[in-house]
Amino acid sequence: MNLEFRKVAEEALSRIAKGDETGVELLYSCMGKWMLLIAKGVTGNKEIAEDAVQESFLRITENIDKYEKDTNACAWVCRIVHNTAVNELKKYGIGVAYDCCGKPIEELGLTDEAAGIIDRMNKKLKNAGEHPLPGIFQTVKKPIQPKVSEGRIV
């Protein structure tokens, strides 16, 4: 992002901080497409991404006092969009890994990186025609109830 672009984003945040509604419009015209691109990259879903961008604007206006003037306005906005998109996915239960008892992996102390490694291993096992690692399941809304046949999870 070039210097002029950053100045416009900085001006938009400055106006928002002053309670000037034109700041939101300026931020949207300046960064709206970038914000949607980031949210779509995180969510992989246009509708959820649009919700995340809308929620991001609310968070930006609510938390404008936390922005430090003359730091990187674009980075601050992009971080809010990214985090909001992740939270939107969690709201729908997408991308949340659970153990076999329905407890989120996050509560078990596994990091996102560890959950990602397990997910990649399970995909490789599935592609090879093998059963996934026992005890770790991905879900959309609630934990998957595994079926057991001949002592194996199917």
Side-chain angles (χ1 to χ4, degrees):
M1 295 183 195
N2 65 33
L3 185 59
E4 187 62 32
F5 185 83
R6 288 182 183 188
K7 286 181 181 180
V8 173
E10 181 71 40
E11 174 62 24
L13 293 182
S14 177
R15 289 183 189 182
I16 292 169
K18 293 174 186 172
D20 184 346
E21 292 179 14
T22 64
V24 174
E25 295 168 12
L26 183 59
L27 186 62
Y28 180 78
S29 67
C30 173
M31 292 193 66
K33 289 181 183 179
W34 284 99
M35 294 168 75
L36 186 58
L37 184 67
I38 291 166
K40 281 173 76 174
V42 171
T43 65
N45 179 287
K46 183 182 176 192
E47 290 79 20
I48 295 174
E50 289 170 348
D51 289 346
V53 170
Q54 185 174 3
E55 181 66 25
S56 295
F57 275 101
L58 291 173
R59 289 186 180 188
I60 289 165
T61 57
E62 290 170 355
N63 295 295
I64 193 67
D65 59 314
K66 295 178 183 172
Y67 174 68
E68 295 178 27
K69 190 174 182 192
D70 296 323
T71 58
N72 192 336
C74 297
W76 189 74
V77 169
C78 290
R79 176 54 50 199
I80 289 174
V81 173
H82 177 272
N83 291 344
T84 303
V86 169
N87 289 339
E88 285 294 308
L89 286 177
K90 288 179 181 178
K91 184 168 82 175
Y92 291 101
I94 299 170
V96 179
Y98 294 85
D99 72 355
C100 61
C101 300
K103 188 168 186 125
I105 286 178
E106 189 175 272
E107 292 180 19
L108 299 174
L110 293 177
T111 65
D112 289 346
E113 182 179 356
I117 291 168
I118 292 167
D119 185 50
R120 287 192 299 278
M121 290 172 64
N122 279 336
K123 285 179 184 175
K124 286 183 180 182
L125 289 168
K126 182 180 179 183
N127 290 339
E130 297 293 328
H131 296 285
L133 297 171
I136 304 298
F137 305 96
Q138 294 291 1
T139 182
V140 172
K141 283 284 186 187
K142 58 184 178 180
I144 296 171
Q145 299 302 316
K147 294 180 182 177
V148 179
S149 176
E150 299 176 15
R152 295 181 70 174
I153 299 173
V154 292

